Amino acid sequence: MAFETGLSGLQAASENLSVLGKNIANVTTYGYKSASTDFGNVLASHLNAANAGASTQTGDGVLISNIKQSFTQGSITGTNSALDAAISGPGFFITYDETLAQTSYTRNGHFFQDSNNFLVNSSGQFVMGYTASTAGEVAATGTPAQIDLSTYDINPNTATRVYEEDTITFYPLQNEGYVRLSGLKFTNTSGSQISTIDLANIFYNYSNSGTTSALGDFSGTLGNYTFAAPSGDGTLVATGTGAEDSTIQVELWSPIGGLPPDVEVTVEGITTAYLADFSIGSDGTITGIYNDGSTFKIAQLALATFANNNGLRSQGNVSWYETADSGTPTVGVAGSLGVGTLTGSSLEASNTDQTGDMVKLLAAQQAYQANAQAIKLENQNYQTLIAMGG
């Protein structure tokens, strides 16, 4: 039996080395949970003739009674991705593999927007949650579903209207020449050159109060613009007033040449707010950030908790399946009763104690060598007995 005892020790030490090696190998794997090995002794019974036939129990080796994972909290590490999220406290992200029609659970919150604009993990599994209504409210009830990040690629709320502003710099206008701003045309009939400051004042007075000028004639209409009072350097600011803004158009004609007014867009008009970025809040709310600076709630991540995390079955890739031992998941959102909170643009690091596992690895290696030596010595004993019998 000594061979079997030593062999059981080799097998147990080998398995322990494997478990510790996996921990150390995954020290940089986000969401990884370290494992440990539980050992149990094996007993054998035989009749003891010297003790009136009573049975005697002797050690008969060792076995691995359990390999369990530690679901203690890993440290939170910041990232540059707006869609990354880390759980602090109890809970798992819920992912769904459409090919396998299988739901799994993970602590790795490294998420992406796929080519179809769905929120997925690195394996292409859908991240589950609740989509907001057009009013920007999330009802975190019922069965969570896939999250389409393009649902509100344009802000449903009326964005704060920003009208375009164009700064117009005039140049002197020669006699018989004209300047056109948008649809409003002014022709110089004064018999002499009009200065830049006078020209700016002429356009301002006419467009704001209808005051004509003795220096020339107006025709047409300005269109969807208003003018602010000109500055002393002959510049005029035109502000759009229409549903859609475009840079004001200018034109100049002069019998002896000249420079048309310069137009500089100082504020670009915005009529539609397009989705530009995301943020994830402590409650798992995914907020869209739009190009005009406005925000809108798009969805909320769902989280699951279990009565017995150690009952979960690992399926690799830092994911687990539910089992009868784990119990059915309780689905909620971050910050609700019994569920942890989230940190956006962050990931949970592995909870492996690298230093501690390195020390355990040395002890496991010594146990392996000791059991191998025990088998070697037992083999020598058998060889001696065989030689004596010869």
Side-chain angles (χ1 to χ4, degrees):
M1 296 295 288
F3 278 117
E4 288 80 1
T5 301
L7 180 59
S8 71
L10 276 179
Q11 292 171 336
S14 177
E15 185 67 29
N16 193 27
L17 284 168
S18 176
V19 170
L20 292 168
K22 290 176 183 177
N23 288 347
I24 294 169
N26 285 282
V27 71
T28 59
T29 301
Y30 291 115
Y32 179 80
K33 297 303 177 184
S34 62
S36 60
T37 307
D38 291 339
F39 298 97
N41 63 320
V42 179
L43 296 178
S45 298
H46 65 274
L47 296 178
N48 186 351
N51 191 23
S55 63
T56 299
Q57 289 186 317
T58 61
D60 198 27
V62 65
L63 54 78
I64 301 294
S65 61
N66 188 30
I67 297 176
K68 62 181 180 182
Q69 288 190 285
S70 169
F71 287 90
T72 58
Q73 179 71 45
S75 62
I76 304 301
T77 304
T79 70
N80 294 322
S81 175
L83 291 175
D84 284 346
I87 303 174
S88 297
F92 296 84
F93 297 109
I94 305 172
T95 56
Y96 180 74
D97 190 315
E98 193 170 41
T99 302
L100 301 176
Q102 180 72 55
T103 299
S104 57
Y105 306 88
T106 182
R107 295 279 295 193
N108 186 353
H110 193 29
F111 301 141
F112 309 88
Q113 184 175 7
D114 71 5
S115 59
N116 295 316
N117 297 310
F118 286 98
L119 186 65
V120 298
N121 64 9
S122 56
S123 299
Q125 298 169 328
F126 295 107
V127 181
M128 309 301 278
Y130 306 96
T131 301
S133 67
T134 55
E137 299 296 330
V138 179
T141 57
T143 303
Q146 302 164 8
I147 298 174
D148 184 352
L149 295 173
S150 67
T151 302
Y152 299 114
D153 56 351
I154 296 177
N155 194 334
N157 292 336
T158 301
T160 302
R161 184 67 164 85
V162 179
Y163 294 98
E164 178 163 311
E165 290 183 1
D166 300 330
T167 299
I168 304 166
T169 302
F170 291 95
Y171 295 97
L173 179 63
Q174 302 299 323
N175 184 44
E176 302 302 329
Y178 69 81
V179 173
R180 186 193 306 275
L181 300 183
S182 188
L184 183 62
K185 175 182 176 181
F186 174 77
T187 303
N188 181 1
T189 60
S190 67
S192 60
Q193 176 180 279
I194 299 177
S195 70
T196 59
I197 295 176
D198 287 340
L199 196 56
N201 283 313
I202 287 170
F203 270 97
Y204 172 73
N205 292 331
Y206 182 78
S207 64
N208 282 42
S209 62
T211 303
T212 58
S213 172
L215 300 179
D217 299 323
F218 279 101
S219 61
T221 58
L222 178 61
N224 297 322
Y225 290 92
T226 59
F227 292 134
S231 61
D233 59 358
T235 60
L236 198 63
V237 176
T239 301
T241 60
E244 296 289 338
D245 288 346
S246 59
T247 304
I248 194 167
Q249 300 299 304
V250 298
E251 180 187 1
L252 175 135
W253 180 86
S254 174
I256 59 173
L259 295 173
D262 291 331
V263 179
E264 178 186 1
V265 179
T266 50
V267 176
E268 184 176 355
I270 298 173
T271 56
T272 304
Y274 293 98
L275 187 61
D277 204 354
F278 304 94
S279 67
I280 296 180
S282 61
D283 63 349
T285 297
I286 303 174
T287 300
I289 303 173
Y290 296 81
N291 62 339
D292 65 343
S294 61
T295 59
F296 188 82
K297 290 181 181 179
I298 294 177
Q300 189 170 14
L301 296 170
L303 297 182
T305 56
F306 294 87
N308 177 24
N309 288 343
N310 283 304
L312 294 168
R313 178 167 63 88
S314 176
Q315 60 122 355
N317 200 28
V318 206
S319 294
W320 294 267
Y321 292 140
E322 68 174 279
T323 68
D325 291 335
S326 69
T328 57
T330 300
V331 179
V333 293
S336 59
L337 185 63
V339 185
T341 58
L342 295 185
T343 303
S345 297
S346 300
L347 292 171
E348 182 187 7
S350 168
N351 69 349
T352 296
D353 177 6
Q354 186 175 16
T355 302
D357 280 350
M358 286 295 294
V359 173
K360 293 176 184 177
L361 192 68
L362 294 174
Q365 183 184 25
Q366 291 175 343
Y368 187 92
Q369 293 172 338
N371 282 282
Q373 188 66 20
I375 292 176
K376 180 180 177 181
L377 291 173
E378 187 66 21
N379 181 60
Q380 290 175 351
N381 291 337
Y382 273 109
Q383 293 300 321
T384 300
L385 288 173
I386 291 171
M388 289 174 63

